[in-house]
Amino acid sequence: MPELPEVQTVVNDLQIITGDTIIGFWSDFKKAIKATTFEKKILGEKIKHIKRLGKNIIVELEHRKVIVAHLKMTGKLILNPNNTLAAKRLEDRSKHLHHIFCLKKHGSLEFHDIRKFATLDLVTPEKIIEITRSKGLDPFDKNFTLQNFTDIISSKQDKNIKSVLMNQALISGIGNIYASEIPYEAQINPLRKIADLSKDEVECLYKSTLKILTKAIKLRGTSISDYRDAKGEKGGFQHHLKVYGKAGKKCAKCDTIIMKNIIEQRSTFHCPTCQL
Ligand SMILES: [Zn+2]
């Protein structure tokens, strides 16, 4: 599932269509669209601003309309310089292409989705404020300071690091991949409880969170299975994973076999020697 670095990469790629106008829309899977009369409301609207909100992609239009796209498991937003809505191309389309935004200057913005869990919605700016409030602190928000990070994780003393990092109501955007990679970077066992962490370890975890997410954005995300950027290309962080998906393999630092544990139904990976 795309996490913060993958969604940020897509958002960065989509900046090119800011200022463009939506002149057409097509969908063969309207169940994914939460808003009613979506097409009618977005036609002729100019794209003012595109940003990330947690794992949501927010496309601000004129007239107080905001498109909210969530990639969920396998959604992909891909820019195609051609007008995909042209009859011939639509006929030959991939069977996973479910929505197309036709743009005045930049061809088409295609929404592909294999598993069909991805969603589209059209909301007001007030709703965006409400969504923002319901989410945990974003690691790239100016308020994501060491003090605030400490306060946030301290509210869950009896929980383990992995589940706290993944708790979207506390910290927004971290999923299973980075919640394994961050504790490895910090050399802390992800199964430990927050209450057991020293002040130095909390600081190390904080710095590792920013370091790993920043590096992952720089490398354009992790493509283990379906994730692709808005150019349809793979990210590069999968070549830098140290523990995620590496159970039974040797740790690159110490040769110890990487362990896998299941926490809250999700696989968690760590090196029992490097991560104490
Ligand atoms: Zn190790």
Side-chain angles (χ1 to χ4, degrees), residues 242-243 246-252 254-260 269-275:
K242 303 286 197 236
V243 286
K246 301 208 180 284
K249 292 187 178 154
K250 285 180 179 174
C251 167
C254 74
D255 275 359
T256 304
I257 299 296
I258 304 292
M259 281 183 66
K260 178 168 112 171
F269 304 88
H270 80 283
C271 168
T273 303
C274 292
Q275 295 175 263

Side-chain angles (χ1 to χ4, degrees), residues 25 38 42 46 49 62 70 82 96 127 164-165 169 182 191 200 203 214 216 225 228 231-232 262 271 274:
F25 180 75
F38 181 81
I42 62 167
K46 199 172 181 176
H49 190 55
E62 291 177 313
H70 200 301
N82 299 308
H96 303 301
K127 180 70 184 171
V164 168
L165 285 177
I182 291 165
L191 310 172
D200 284 352
E203 182 169 352
T214 303
S225 53
R228 297 292 182 273
K231 295 165 188 161
I262 306 292
C271 168
C274 292

Side-chain angles (χ1 to χ4, degrees), residues 36-175:
T36 54
T37 59
F38 181 81
E39 178 177 351
K40 198 176 157 207
K41 286 172 185 160
I42 62 167
L43 287 186
E45 291 287 333
K46 199 172 181 176
I47 297 167
K48 277 170 61 188
H49 190 55
I50 303 174
K51 64 175 186 180
R52 180 182 58 77
L53 175 53
K55 296 178 197 169
N56 293 292
I57 294 164
I58 305 292
V59 181
E60 289 175 17
L61 307 175
E62 291 177 313
H63 307 104
R64 299 175 33 78
K65 294 173 190 173
V66 188
I67 296 173
V68 181
H70 200 301
L71 305 174
K72 297 284 168 125
M73 301 287 287
T74 57
K76 285 177 248 181
L77 276 172
I78 294 175
L79 282 167
N80 185 331
N82 299 308
N83 176 358
T84 322
L85 283 182
K88 179 76 180 81
R89 291 204 179 92
L90 198 56
E91 231 169 70
D92 296 341
R93 73 185 185 276
S94 145
K95 64 175 180 178
H96 303 301
L97 172 56
H98 295 300
H99 319 282
I100 303 168
F101 296 87
C102 187
L103 304 168
K104 200 172 179 180
K105 294 181 201 147
H106 291 92
S108 313
L109 175 59
E110 303 179 345
F111 203 161
H112 298 251
D113 189 16
I114 295 169
R115 300 281 297 274
K116 294 168 101 173
F117 290 125
T119 57
L120 272 173
D121 200 358
L122 187 72
V123 301
T124 60
E126 287 76 18
K127 180 70 184 171
I128 295 297
I129 294 168
E130 204 181 293
I131 298 171
T132 309
R133 281 195 191 125
S134 73
K135 291 199 175 299
L137 189 54
D138 192 285
F140 292 100
D141 189 293
K142 62 178 181 350
N143 293 317
F144 192 79
T145 59
L146 173 59
Q147 186 58 57
N148 286 339
F149 178 76
T150 307
D151 292 346
I152 287 166
I153 67 169
S154 300
S155 68
K156 299 282 179 199
Q157 292 286 335
D158 60 332
K159 297 280 185 207
N160 63 67
I161 295 168
K162 168 80 185 315
S163 60
V164 168
L165 285 177
M166 281 187 64
N167 186 332
Q168 300 303 302
L170 299 176
I171 300 164
S172 172
I174 300 174

